[in-house]
Amino acid sequence: MVAKIILQDTFNEQDFLWFAEKWQQNASIIIESILQHNDAKNRIFNFALNYIPDSFAEAVIDIFLEDSDFIISDEDLLKCVRQGSIGLKQSIRYRKKTPQYILNLCNQE
């Protein structure tokens, strides 16, 4: 059975931790975002950033990497490169507008 986690504007850190636990228990979970407000996007992105290299956190970050309108600072991308998995680094490589020096770090790992 496939389950779905939907990231919503009301999502908080307690929700994040609860869903991370469920993610670990069930490999058939899809994460979807219906986030509309930038403050909610930033809040949830920062939750995920604080829990790298947790696989749920990396999956959430991957959603934001795919969103070309979501601004991610070089500092946050560097944290992803330094602490993230090979899969997260691969996602960073595909993000448009990723600075070359960050891409070079991804390729060194």
Side-chain angles (χ1 to χ4, degrees), residues 86-99:
I86 292 170
L88 186 58
K89 292 171 189 156
Q90 188 74 13
S91 294
I92 292 168
R93 285 186 194 110
Y94 291 114
R95 180 175 170 83
K96 293 179 183 178
K97 301 178 186 172
T98 299

Side-chain angles (χ1 to χ4, degrees), residues 68-86:
S68 60
D69 294 328
F70 183 72
I71 298 170
I72 301 175
S73 72
D74 288 2
E75 181 180 325
D76 289 343
L77 286 172
L78 285 171
K79 183 173 183 178
C80 292
V81 170
R82 291 181 180 133
Q83 297 179 4
S85 68
I86 292 170

Side-chain angles (χ1 to χ4, degrees), residues 12-53:
N12 61 35
E13 190 166 12
Q14 184 178 359
D15 296 329
F16 184 90
L17 294 172
W18 188 82
F19 283 122
E21 182 180 321
K22 296 300 176 194
W23 174 270
Q24 296 299 330
Q25 296 170 4
N26 184 353
S28 300
I29 294 179
I30 297 169
I31 303 172
E32 182 179 309
S33 174
I34 59 171
L35 296 167
Q36 296 180 356
H37 299 96
N38 283 334
D39 60 327
K41 288 180 180 182
N42 286 320
R43 187 180 68 250
I44 294 169
F45 177 79
N46 285 320
F47 292 156
L49 197 60
N50 289 331
Y51 288 97
I52 293 175

